[in-house]
Amino acid sequence: MCRWLVYSGTPQLLETILYKPAHSLIDQSLHSRMGVETTNGDGFGIGWYAQDADLGSPAVVRETGPAWNNRNLREIAGHVRSSLFFAHIRASTGTAVQQTNSHPFRHGRWMWMHNGAIAGFPAMRRDLCLAVDPSLFAAIEGSTDSEVMFFLALTMGLEDDPPGAVARMAGLVERTGHAHGIAAPLQMTIATTDGESVWAFRYASDGDARSLYYSSRVDSLRALHPDISFLKDLSEETRLVVSEPLGDLPGAWNEVPEHSYGVVRAGADELRSFAPA
């Protein structure tokens, strides 16, 4: 499986989030506490939206090696500042270790990343790929179930209705899996964004989804920990969504409930129930 994080809020150097926390994503690439595998070294990726240009689409950098010793990632993280970025470390579930299989995936202004798997994906792959809109199919670069899920969601209306599109995608995966004799086809924590809002989903067919957490409100953390200077510079809109907490600060992390999704955007965030359509 994999580990990932989303940062949304006051512009930060990527290194502030990726490297500096006690249990940072880079640390998790070697010492994951909650993942299926302790080591996530089968590639990594980062994606971010530029602060000084309306480019319409995010920048994405993906590699095949581990994150813990990549000099290019360390260089980028120390010089790129963004108010919204994705980061992902990969532990392959069977597909090839190659750049096109590293997350996050991008299409237009959208990004997508996934932790989990479609059980029996090789047997289901043809059926699922045939459900992708022909106008989108040629944009699929890799061989992962995660990327097929992204393009199914795009086919099913991600740009207009993200929760509905992901629910329809999940429903199709489950129906296809059941037709192939697979009792619990889907395991997923997913993050997707259009550069303004972030949607994060936690779901598993068997009711035992991979871990997912979100950070507490900044004003609550300031009240709990007035001595932490880092919190003083963060806006009230700042939020992290992570596969596992980046540290042990009391009151900082909240588990996303099973079968639910959250929306991070300007104003009040949302947390709602989720079910495949």
Side-chain angles (χ1 to χ4, degrees):
M1 301 295 176
C2 310
R3 306 278 81 185
W4 57 254
L5 71 77
V6 175
Y7 175 84
S8 177
T10 301
Q12 295 287 336
L13 284 173
L14 272 59
E15 69 173 7
T16 304
I17 308 301
L18 293 182
Y19 284 89
K20 292 185 177 181
H23 189 48
S24 70
L25 196 68
I26 305 304
D27 179 65
Q28 291 175 37
S29 65
L30 272 172
H31 306 296
S32 172
R33 300 173 182 174
M34 298 180 178
V36 175
E37 300 87 4
T38 301
T39 303
N40 297 270
D42 294 329
F44 68 86
I46 52 173
W48 68 92
Y49 293 85
Q51 294 299 292
D52 301 322
D54 184 14
L55 300 178
S57 64
V60 172
V61 173
R62 300 184 290 176
E63 292 290 348
T64 58
W68 64 75
N69 65 354
N70 190 279
R71 295 180 65 185
N72 289 332
L73 176 61
R74 193 69 182 86
E75 183 74 11
I76 291 169
H79 290 81
V80 170
R81 189 182 302 272
S82 178
S83 62
L84 175 53
F85 61 87
F86 279 16
H88 186 281
I89 51 176
R90 184 174 183 238
S92 173
T93 55
T95 49
V97 177
Q98 59 193 46
Q99 277 191 346
T100 53
N101 284 346
S102 293
H103 310 219
F105 303 102
R106 174 183 62 190
H107 184 75
R109 70 180 188 276
W110 286 82
M111 283 198 296
W112 174 283
M113 59 186 176
H114 168 232
N115 174 33
I118 297 176
F121 178 65
M124 300 163 55
R125 183 179 177 186
R126 181 177 182 275
D127 293 342
L128 294 176
C129 285
L130 286 173
V132 174
D133 189 295
S135 68
L136 294 170
F137 185 80
I140 298 176
E141 296 183 321
S143 58
T144 64
D145 50 358
S146 305
E147 189 177 16
V148 171
M149 292 164 69
F150 180 29
F151 280 86
L152 284 171
L154 286 164
T155 297
M156 296 175 179
L158 182 69
E159 294 177 318
D160 299 317
D161 176 18
V166 174
R168 290 186 285 273
M169 176 276 293
L172 174 65
V173 170
E174 290 199 324
R175 291 192 301 274
T176 305
H178 295 159
H180 284 266
I182 299 168
L186 186 57
Q187 173 70 245
M188 69 178 209
T189 62
I190 285 170
T192 189
T193 182
D194 60 358
E196 296 181 3
S197 301
V198 175
W199 293 263
F201 300 82
R202 186 183 185 210
Y203 176 80
S205 301
D206 63 3
D208 186 18
R210 299 292 177 252
S211 58
L212 193 64
Y213 291 80
Y214 64 94
S215 61
S216 298
R217 288 173 53 91
V218 171
D219 55 355
S220 299
L221 289 174
R222 287 197 193 107
L224 284 170
H225 305 284
D227 56 326
I228 297 180
S229 58
F230 173 72
L231 297 172
K232 297 176 183 178
D233 299 324
L234 298 180
S235 73
E236 303 298 334
E237 304 287 350
T238 298
R239 189 74 64 139
L240 279 155
V241 185
V242 298
S243 292
E244 57 188 82
L246 304 185
D248 300 319
L249 188 67
W253 301 103
N254 311 275
E255 186 175 14
V256 175
E258 294 273 3
H259 295 190
S260 64
Y261 75 92
V263 188
V264 177
R265 56 164 57 109
D269 297 336
E270 300 175 16
L271 186 61
R272 298 185 177 183
S273 61
F274 175 82

